[in-house]
Each structure stands twice: as structure tokens, then as C-alpha cells.
């Protein structure tokens, strides 16, 4: 049985996570896809093509992506290379305190540049990416023409 995991499942957006796929056939070609929908309903995606090792595993921290949104060894590549489905959109988190971005991670059999509704993932999981840690206080700054936010630790 194929399984994709992200550890930790819930983390701050600037912290690395470990992504692993297990239960594949040796040398099986797969596509890993990360996707999220932002607060405006815009979808962002990244995909990477891998070939499972002799144990039937894929670990982006140790295995090079063969193509897709990036190539080479990028442990956080699926998060860093998220691109909008609609051109000229930017991934911006507006509500940093109230909710995380939910990133859907999926693994598909074979190499897929595009996945349609008929393509069912072999496995999937979700990762929560928070932009503000517990107990952090956000103080809005408005001084003359300066606008910003000060984040104070607990």
C-alpha cells in the first residue's frame, strides 16, 4: 500500500518538513504534486517527477527530482516552487493569525505534466503551514506613511 507522509504535519511556514513516499515498486516512476487554494480561491501547484529507489521509496531530501516544477535535490521544492494556475497571481497570506495554508500532497503513478479528474492519486496527505506561532502578538504599525506589523514573541 502506497503512503505519503509529511513530518511534522503542522508547522510554521518557514520551517522545513520531511516528505516521504513508501510502498512503491522499485524504480517506479511517480509524480509528486503539492497544491493549495489561497484565501481568494486561487489555486497554486507544484509537481516533481521521481523514480522510486530499490526499497520503493521517494524522499525529496535525498532523491533528485527528474523534472516538473524543478529538477535536482530540493527537500522543500514542492513548497518553494508553488505556481498559480492563473497567470500573474501571487501567493500571499492575508490572515496570518487565524488559519494556516492547507497544502495537499499527492503521489500519482507515472509522470504527469497535467492531472485531470480521471487521475486518481495513489496516496495523499495534508500539511498545515502556519504563519504565526502560538502566543505571538501582532501589533499593526501606522506611523506617517509607514505601514507594517510588529510580531512580538510570547
Amino acid at each position: 500500500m502506497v503512503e505519503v507522509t509529511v513530518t511534522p504535519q503542522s508547522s510554521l511556514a518557514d520551517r522545513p518538513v520531511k516528505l516521504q513516499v513508501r510502498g512503491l515498486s522499485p524504480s517506479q516512476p511517480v509524480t509528486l504534486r503539492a497544491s493549495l487554494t489561497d484565501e481568494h480561491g486561487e489555486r497554486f501547484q507544484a509537481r516533481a517527477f521521481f523514480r522510486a529507489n530499490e526499497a520503493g521509496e521517494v524522499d525529496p531530501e535525498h532523491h533528485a527530482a527528474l523534472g516538473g516544477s524543478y529538477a535536482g535535490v530540493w527537500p522543500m521544492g514542492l513548497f518553494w516552487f508553488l505556481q498559480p494556475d492563473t497567470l500573474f497571481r501571487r501567493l500571499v497570506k492575508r490572515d496570518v493569525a487565524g488559519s494556516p495554508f492547507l497544502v495537499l500532497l499527492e503521489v500519482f503513478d507515472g509522470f504527469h505534466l497535467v492531472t485531470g479528474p480521471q487521475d486518481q492519486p495513489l496516496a495523499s496527505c495534508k500539511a498545515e503551514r502556519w504563519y504565526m506561532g502560538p502566543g505571538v502578538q501582532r501589533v499593526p504599525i501606522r506611523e506617517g506613511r509607514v505601514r507594517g506589523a510588529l510580531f512580538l514573541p510570547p
Side-chain angles (χ1 to χ4, degrees):
M1 185 167 119
V2 177
E3 177 185 35
V4 59
T5 59
V6 61
T7 309
Q9 187 267 330
S10 182
S11 64
L12 291 173
D14 64 345
R15 299 284 190 240
V17 294
K18 184 160 184 65
L19 178 62
Q20 289 184 305
V21 181
R22 293 184 186 95
L24 300 167
S25 300
S27 300
Q28 180 177 352
V30 294
T31 300
L32 280 154
R33 180 177 71 179
S35 62
L36 68 83
T37 302
D38 73 2
E39 295 149 326
H40 296 293
E42 295 291 334
R43 194 166 98 151
F44 293 77
Q45 297 185 75
R47 69 187 69 242
F49 310 136
F50 291 92
R51 194 167 293 282
N53 65 11
E54 59 281 348
E57 298 176 350
V58 171
D59 181 350
E61 188 174 340
H62 301 290
H63 303 128
L66 305 173
S69 301
Y70 66 95
V73 177
W74 291 83
M76 294 293 294
L78 287 171
F79 295 90
W80 292 342
F81 291 97
L82 288 165
Q83 293 295 315
D85 285 355
T86 305
L87 292 176
F88 308 113
R89 301 293 182 178
R90 288 185 356 175
L91 183 59
V92 176
K93 183 72 171 131
R94 302 280 182 214
D95 179 17
V96 296
S99 64
F101 271 142
L102 293 176
V103 181
L104 176 63
L105 299 157
E106 300 170 294
V107 58
F108 294 90
D109 186 29
F111 298 150
H112 296 275
L113 284 172
V114 178
T115 48
Q118 74 281 3
D119 296 313
Q120 293 300 312
L122 299 172
S124 65
C125 70
K126 288 190 178 175
E128 292 180 354
R129 303 294 281 171
W130 290 89
Y131 280 74
M132 201 164 109
V136 173
Q137 180 184 2
R138 181 181 187 273
V139 180
I141 304 295
R142 295 178 70 99
E143 185 67 36
R145 297 185 332 186
V146 175
R147 303 287 183 266
L150 173 64
F151 293 89
L152 298 171

